[in-house]
Amino acid sequence: VWGRAARQPPGLPLASCRAFSNKKIQVDVNESSGVATMKFKSPPVNSLSLDFLTEFCISLEKLENDRACRGVVITSAIPKIFSSGLDITEMCGKSMEHYAEFWRAVQEMWLRLYSSNMVTLAVINGSSPAGGCLVALSCDYRIMAENPKYTIGLNEAQLGIVAPFWFKDTFVNVVGQRVAERSLQLGSLYPAPEALKFGIVDELVPEEKLQEKATAVMAQWLALPDHARQITKSMMRKTLLDRLVAHREEDIKNFTSFVSKESIQKSLHMYMEMLKKKK
Amino acid sequence: VWGRAARQPPGLPLASCRAFSNKKIQVDVNESSGVATMKFKSPPVNSLSLDFLTEFCISLEKLENDRACRGVVITSAIPKIFSSGLDITEMCGKSMEHYAEFWRAVQEMWLRLYSSNMVTLAVINGSSPAGGCLVALSCDYRIMAENPKYTIGLNEAQLGIVAPFWFKDTFVNVVGQRVAERSLQLGSLYPAPEALKFGIVDELVPEEKLQEKATAVMAQWLALPDHARQITKSMMRKTLLDRLVAHREEDIKNFTSFVSKESIQKSLHMYMEMLKKKK
Amino acid sequence: VWGRAARQPPGLPLASCRAFSNKKIQVDVNESSGVATMKFKSPPVNSLSLDFLTEFCISLEKLENDRACRGVVITSAIPKIFSSGLDITEMCGKSMEHYAEFWRAVQEMWLRLYSSNMVTLAVINGSSPAGGCLVALSCDYRIMAENPKYTIGLNEAQLGIVAPFWFKDTFVNVVGQRVAERSLQLGSLYPAPEALKFGIVDELVPEEKLQEKATAVMAQWLALPDHARQITKSMMRKTLLDRLVAHREEDIKNFTSFVSKESIQKSLHMYMEMLKKKK
C-alpha cells in the first residue's frame, strides 16, 4: 500500500491503517498521518467510465466525512498511465439518457474534487490526457514523474471535441489565459518537462522518489491549520464551482446534443477503432 | 509571393494560387494549403489609416467567406516595420464625425480579427508599436524576427493617450494582469528578446527563417479539426468580444470626446511635427 | 533623509525639500524631483496599528493633494523589517467597535494606496509578511533588497486566519491565480530570490544600491505624462477597488465576527505569547 510503511510511525499498531477496496479504486487511510491514498486500478488505462466515476465520488465522500482524514493522494496503480480520461465507450452508440447520466457523473466528480476540504495531491505517475488531466488540475498540488514519455494535457480538440467551460476555466486557473487558449486550440499534450515549464504541474520527481516526495509535500500542506486553509481554498475556487452549479443542466444538454451528433459519433467511432487496432 | 514555392506541392498547377491585390494590402491565397497571406504594403510605415482599416476588413471578410481558406499569415512587405499603429493624421484636426468613423473602423478590424474562424498567425518582421501591436496580439500565434532593433508594445501612454479597455483586455489575455498593468502605465516598447520574455510574442526566429517557420506553425495549427478549434477559440474570446459589442457606441463617444480635447490635439500635433522632422 | 542628497540637483536651495515628521512615519517631499519618501519608523517592527494606519492615510492624503508631488517611495527606517503587517494587539481582547474601527482603517489605507494618482514605489528593505506584503503589493512597482533572509508573503493562513478577498485579489493581480492559490493556502513566506521568481517583487537590488535604484525607477515612471498614466492605472484597478467599496460594511462585519470568535482569539493570544518570548 502506498506509503504505508514510510508514514507508519514506529510503534503504532497497523490497525491504524484502514483500507476499503472497491473494484476500480484502491483506497487506504493512514489514520496516524491523516492521509488517504486513492490508487486508480482500472485496466487497461484507468479510463473514467460511469462505474469508475461513481466509485470515485463515493470514495471521495467517504473520505470527506472521515474526520481522521485530512488529505488525499491520488495516483495510479497501473504502470505508465495516470488516467486516459473519459471513457469513450460511454459516449458512443448509447441513449441520450445514458449520455446525460454519464455527464452528470463527470460533473459530480469534478465538483467534489475541486471543492474538497481535504488537501488533494495528484501524484501523476504516467500519462494523463483529457479527463485524466482534469483530475490532476482539480487537485491542490501536482507532482509528476520526471519521464518525458509521460504526457499530460487537455487534448480534446485533437479528437474533434471541445472541452466544456469548466474544464477550460479549471485549466485557466492553473496556467493562465494565454497558455490555456493556445493549448486548448492545439489540443496539446505536453511531455513532463514541458508540463512543468508551462505550469501544468508543480514539480517533477524521478519516478522512484514520487512516494517520498508525496509524503513530504502532504506534510507541508497539513502543517497548516485546516480551517484557514479550507476557507482560503474555497475563496479561490468558489466562483468557478458556483458557475457550474448554476449551469449544470444546461451543460448536460450541451454535452448530450453535441455528442449525439452524427459527425461526432462518426469521429468517436473512428477513434475507438484506431485504439482497438493499437492493442 | 510568401511561401508559395515552399508550400506548392510538386505537380500542382500554379493556378491553385490566387491573389487579389488592393492598394495597401497584398493578399495571396494558396488553395492547396488553404493558407492566405496578407502583406501590409502601405509606405512608409503601414500606419492604420481609415483606408487601410477598410481594406483590412474587406480582405478579412473575403478570406473568412472563402471555404478554401483555413488560415491567414499576417506580415509586412515593408522592411523593419510591421505596422506603426493607428494613423495619427486621422486623429488630428478632423471633424467629430471623422473621429467616430475612424474609431468604428478600428473596432471593426479588431472584432473581425479577434473572432476570426481562421487560424491567424502574426509574422512580425519589424517594429510594431500601439495599434500595430494590437493587430499582432489579436492573432492566435505570434512569431517575431529575432532582432533587438525591432520593438513591440502598447506605448500609447508615452504619447499622452490611453489604450481603450479592449486593447487593454486583449493585452491582459496574452500577458496577464501584472505585465499589462506595468507595461501600459509605462507605455513600454519591448525589443524582441524582452517581448518573448514577457510573453508578448510566442517565438523569435532569425529573419531569414520567418517564412519557413510560419509554414511549419500554420501546418501544426491546421492539423486540428477546424470545428473543435473554432469553438474552443470562441469560448476563450467571447467574453471580451461581447464586451466591446455591448459598449461599442459608448467606446466611440469616449474616443471622440477624448481625442478632440484641446490638450490632446496639441500633444498629437507636437508628436506629428516630431515625426516629420525625423524624416 | 532618503535620497535627499542624491536627488538634490546642484545649486538648488535646500528649502525645496520639505519634511513633515509625524510619530510613526517620516515623510519628505523633494519639490524639485516631485518625489516624496515615506519612511516607516515605528519600532520594533512597523506593525500596522490603528495609529499607524491613521497616520499613513493622512500622509497619503496630504501628498495626494500636493501638486508638487507626483510619486512616493515607501520604505522602512528600521533595519531588517519593512513592515510586520497588521498589529495583532488591535485584534486581541478588544471590543467589537474597536475591531470595526481598526478594520475600516485597514481598508482605508488600501483604498488610498491602491488608487493613488501618484507613482507608488515600494522599496522593501526588510521582511514584509501579511499586511506588510499587502502594502508592497498595492504599489505600482516593487524593489526588494537582495537578501535571502528577508521574506515576503501573505502568510495569514499560518496564523489560522484568512486573508480577506481584496488582499487575495490584489495578490492575484500581481502573481496570477495559481501562485496566489497555492501561496495563500500554504501561507507562504518567500525569501527575496523566490519572491522575484514568483513575481511578488519586480527586482532585487543589493541593499546598498536600493536608494540609487529607487531614484532611477521613479525617474522612469515620472517620464510619462501623469494624466495618461493615471487613467491607465485606474482602468487596471477600478474593478477591484469598486468591489471593496461596494462590500465595505459587509467586509467589516465578516472581520469583526471572525476575529471575535473564541477559537481565533485563543490562537492570536498564543501567537502573541510566542512573539513575546522571542524578544
Side-chain angles (χ1 to χ4, degrees):
Chain A
V1 173
W2 177 273
R4 190 204 279 176
R7 276 199 310 273
Q8 191 68 36
L12 259 184
L14 277 176
S16 76
C17 200
R18 293 167 307 156
F20 49 98
S21 184
N22 296 299
K23 282 178 197 152
K24 296 170 185 305
I25 304 173
Q26 168 71 30
V27 183
D28 294 280
V29 184
N30 183 318
E31 290 192 24
S32 59
S33 70
V35 179
T37 303
M38 297 179 77
K39 258 189 172 166
F40 299 160
K41 50 163 188 120
S42 180
V45 289
N46 289 330
S47 66
L48 307 175
S49 64
L50 182 52
D51 285 351
F52 186 101
L53 291 164
T54 307
E55 200 178 309
F56 197 173
C57 286
I58 292 173
S59 299
L60 276 176
E61 192 178 19
K62 269 193 206 170
L63 297 175
E64 208 76 56
N65 294 329
D66 184 344
R67 304 212 49 176
C69 180
R70 299 172 61 213
V72 58
V73 171
I74 298 177
T75 191
S76 166
I78 294 178
K80 296 180 192 165
I81 190 88
F82 179 74
S83 162
S84 66
L86 304 186
D87 187 342
I88 290 176
T89 63
E90 305 280 10
M91 310 190 221
C92 249
K94 296 282 187 346
S95 69
M96 291 299 267
E97 288 68 35
H98 185 86
Y99 297 149
E101 190 187 357
F102 175 61
W103 198 247
R104 192 180 299 279
V106 179
Q107 293 175 332
E108 188 68 27
M109 179 276 290
W110 178 80
L111 287 169
R112 284 182 186 279
L113 186 58
Y114 200 62
S115 70
S116 175
N117 267 323
M118 298 181 285
V119 171
T120 51
L121 172 58
V123 174
I124 309 158
N125 53 352
S127 284
S128 196
C133 178
L134 181 74
V135 170
L137 292 171
S138 305
C139 289
D140 292 319
Y141 201 80
R142 285 158 288 286
I143 309 172
M144 189 167 184
E146 199 171 33
N147 185 338
K149 289 186 184 164
Y150 298 164
T151 60
I152 186 168
L154 294 176
N155 61 323
E156 282 79 354
Q158 294 220 12
L159 317 188
I161 58 178
V162 178
F165 78 88
W166 42 285
F167 280 54
K168 180 259 287 181
D169 287 341
T170 305
F171 198 31
V172 169
N173 278 352
V174 172
V175 299
Q177 176 81 9
R178 171 59 190 154
V179 172
E181 186 186 276
R182 196 184 60 208
S183 306
L184 288 172
Q185 282 197 68
L186 289 170
S188 306
L189 282 176
Y190 294 105
E194 288 202 49
L196 178 68
K197 184 181 145 201
F198 289 114
I200 297 167
V201 299
D202 296 296
E203 290 190 64
L204 299 189
V205 178
E207 193 151 358
E208 68 277 14
K209 301 261 177 125
L210 274 178
Q211 189 171 312
E212 186 185 325
K213 186 73 188 181
T215 306
V217 166
M218 188 54 92
Q220 186 199 5
W221 283 71
L222 292 182
L224 277 285
D226 283 337
H227 191 61
R229 189 190 48 70
Q230 288 161 355
I231 298 177
T232 302
K233 180 173 177 176
S234 159
M235 190 166 62
M236 300 300 298
R237 300 191 168 189
K238 195 175 182 312
T239 309
L240 179 47
L241 286 160
D242 287 352
R243 209 178 301 157
L244 179 57
V245 170
H247 297 283
R248 197 165 176 179
E249 299 308 318
E250 189 187 330
D251 184 59
I252 291 174
K253 265 191 197 157
N254 282 346
F255 174 75
T256 56
S257 79
F258 179 80
V259 86
S260 58
K261 274 184 193 158
E262 207 172 325
S263 60
I264 301 299
Q265 282 293 313
K266 246 186 204 164
S267 68
L268 291 176
H269 267 294
M270 276 172 54
Y271 188 73
M272 272 174 57
E273 292 305 313
M274 195 193 76
L275 289 179
K276 276 181 200 160
K277 275 176 201 155
K278 260 192 174 174
K279 284 178 205 173
Chain B
V1 173
W2 179 273
R4 190 203 281 177
R7 276 200 309 274
Q8 190 69 37
L12 259 185
L14 278 177
S16 77
C17 201
R18 292 168 308 154
F20 48 99
S21 184
N22 296 298
K23 283 179 196 149
K24 296 169 185 308
I25 304 173
Q26 167 73 28
V27 183
D28 295 279
V29 185
N30 183 318
E31 290 193 24
S32 60
S33 69
V35 179
T37 302
M38 296 179 78
K39 258 189 172 166
F40 299 160
K41 51 165 187 113
S42 180
V45 289
N46 288 330
S47 67
L48 306 174
S49 64
L50 181 53
D51 285 351
F52 186 101
L53 291 165
T54 307
E55 200 179 308
F56 196 173
C57 286
I58 292 172
S59 298
L60 275 176
E61 191 178 20
K62 269 194 204 167
L63 297 175
E64 207 77 54
N65 294 330
D66 184 344
R67 304 211 51 176
C69 180
R70 299 172 60 214
V72 58
V73 171
I74 297 177
T75 191
S76 166
I78 293 178
K80 298 182 192 164
I81 190 89
F82 179 73
S83 162
S84 65
L86 304 186
D87 187 342
I88 291 176
T89 62
E90 305 280 10
M91 309 189 221
C92 251
K94 296 284 189 340
S95 69
M96 292 300 267
E97 287 69 34
H98 184 85
Y99 297 148
E101 189 187 358
F102 174 62
W103 198 247
R104 191 179 299 279
V106 179
Q107 293 175 332
E108 189 68 28
M109 179 276 290
W110 177 80
L111 287 170
R112 284 181 186 280
L113 185 58
Y114 201 62
S115 71
S116 174
N117 268 323
M118 299 180 284
V119 172
T120 51
L121 172 57
V123 174
I124 308 159
N125 53 352
S127 284
S128 196
C133 179
L134 181 75
V135 169
L137 291 172
S138 304
C139 290
D140 292 319
Y141 201 80
R142 283 158 289 284
I143 309 171
M144 189 166 183
E146 199 171 33
N147 185 338
K149 287 185 186 165
Y150 298 164
T151 60
I152 187 169
L154 294 176
N155 62 321
E156 281 80 354
Q158 294 220 12
L159 317 189
I161 59 179
V162 178
F165 78 88
W166 43 284
F167 280 53
K168 180 260 285 180
D169 287 340
T170 305
F171 198 31
V172 168
N173 278 352
V174 173
V175 298
Q177 176 82 10
R178 171 59 190 154
V179 172
E181 187 186 277
R182 195 184 62 207
S183 306
L184 288 172
Q185 282 198 68
L186 288 171
S188 306
L189 283 176
Y190 294 105
E194 288 202 50
L196 178 68
K197 184 181 147 201
F198 289 114
I200 297 168
V201 300
D202 296 296
E203 290 191 63
L204 298 189
V205 178
E207 193 150 359
E208 68 276 15
K209 301 262 176 126
L210 273 178
Q211 189 171 311
E212 187 186 324
K213 185 75 190 180
T215 306
V217 166
M218 189 53 94
Q220 185 199 6
W221 283 72
L222 292 181
L224 277 285
D226 283 338
H227 192 61
R229 189 189 48 70
Q230 287 161 357
I231 298 176
T232 304
K233 180 173 176 175
S234 160
M235 191 165 63
M236 300 301 297
R237 300 192 169 188
K238 194 175 182 312
T239 310
L240 179 46
L241 287 160
D242 287 351
R243 208 176 304 156
L244 179 57
V245 171
H247 297 283
R248 197 165 176 179
E249 299 308 318
E250 191 186 327
D251 184 59
I252 291 174
K253 263 189 198 159
N254 282 345
F255 174 75
T256 55
S257 79
F258 179 80
V259 85
S260 59
K261 272 183 194 158
E262 206 171 326
S263 60
I264 301 299
Q265 283 294 313
K266 247 185 202 164
S267 68
L268 291 175
H269 266 295
M270 274 171 56
Y271 188 73
M272 273 175 57
E273 291 304 312
M274 196 192 75
L275 289 179
K276 275 182 201 162
K277 274 175 201 154
K278 259 192 174 173
K279 283 178 207 171
Chain C
V1 172
W2 177 271
R4 189 204 281 178
R7 277 202 308 275
Q8 190 69 37
L12 260 184
L14 277 177
S16 77
C17 200
R18 291 169 308 155
F20 50 98
S21 183
N22 296 298
K23 283 179 195 150
K24 296 169 186 308
I25 304 174
Q26 168 73 29
V27 183
D28 294 278
V29 185
N30 183 319
E31 290 192 25
S32 58
S33 69
V35 179
T37 302
M38 296 178 78
K39 258 190 173 165
F40 298 159
K41 50 163 188 115
S42 179
V45 288
N46 288 330
S47 66
L48 306 174
S49 64
L50 182 52
D51 284 351
F52 186 102
L53 291 165
T54 307
E55 201 179 308
F56 196 173
C57 287
I58 292 173
S59 299
L60 276 176
E61 192 178 19
K62 268 193 206 170
L63 297 176
E64 208 75 57
N65 293 330
D66 183 345
R67 305 212 49 177
C69 180
R70 299 172 59 214
V72 58
V73 172
I74 298 178
T75 192
S76 166
I78 294 178
K80 297 180 193 166
I81 191 88
F82 178 73
S83 162
S84 66
L86 304 186
D87 187 342
I88 291 177
T89 61
E90 306 279 9
M91 310 190 221
C92 250
K94 297 282 188 344
S95 69
M96 292 299 267
E97 287 69 35
H98 185 86
Y99 297 148
E101 189 187 359
F102 175 61
W103 198 246
R104 190 179 299 278
V106 179
Q107 294 175 331
E108 188 68 28
M109 179 275 290
W110 177 81
L111 287 169
R112 284 180 185 280
L113 186 57
Y114 201 61
S115 71
S116 175
N117 268 322
M118 298 180 284
V119 172
T120 51
L121 172 57
V123 174
I124 308 159
N125 53 352
S127 284
S128 195
C133 179
L134 180 75
V135 169
L137 291 172
S138 304
C139 290
D140 292 318
Y141 201 79
R142 284 157 289 285
I143 309 170
M144 189 166 182
E146 199 170 35
N147 185 339
K149 288 187 185 164
Y150 298 164
T151 61
I152 186 168
L154 293 175
N155 61 323
E156 281 80 354
Q158 293 221 13
L159 318 189
I161 58 178
V162 178
F165 77 89
W166 42 284
F167 279 54
K168 181 260 287 180
D169 288 340
T170 305
F171 198 30
V172 169
N173 277 352
V174 173
V175 298
Q177 177 81 9
R178 172 58 189 155
V179 172
E181 187 186 275
R182 196 184 60 207
S183 306
L184 288 172
Q185 282 198 69
L186 288 170
S188 305
L189 282 176
Y190 295 104
E194 289 204 48
L196 178 68
K197 184 181 146 202
F198 289 113
I200 298 168
V201 298
D202 297 295
E203 291 190 64
L204 298 189
V205 178
E207 193 150 358
E208 69 275 16
K209 300 262 176 122
L210 274 178
Q211 188 171 314
E212 188 186 324
K213 185 74 188 181
T215 305
V217 166
M218 189 53 92
Q220 186 200 5
W221 283 72
L222 291 182
L224 277 285
D226 283 336
H227 192 62
R229 189 190 49 70
Q230 287 161 357
I231 297 177
T232 303
K233 179 172 178 176
S234 160
M235 192 166 63
M236 300 300 298
R237 301 192 168 188
K238 194 174 182 312
T239 309
L240 180 47
L241 287 161
D242 286 353
R243 209 177 302 156
L244 179 57
V245 170
H247 297 283
R248 196 164 177 180
E249 299 307 318
E250 191 186 328
D251 184 60
I252 292 175
K253 264 190 198 158
N254 282 345
F255 174 75
T256 56
S257 78
F258 179 80
V259 85
S260 58
K261 273 184 194 159
E262 207 172 325
S263 61
I264 301 300
Q265 283 293 313
K266 248 186 202 164
S267 68
L268 290 175
H269 267 294
M270 275 171 55
Y271 188 73
M272 272 175 58
E273 292 304 312
M274 196 193 76
L275 290 179
K276 275 182 198 162
K277 275 176 199 153
K278 260 192 173 174
K279 284 178 205 170

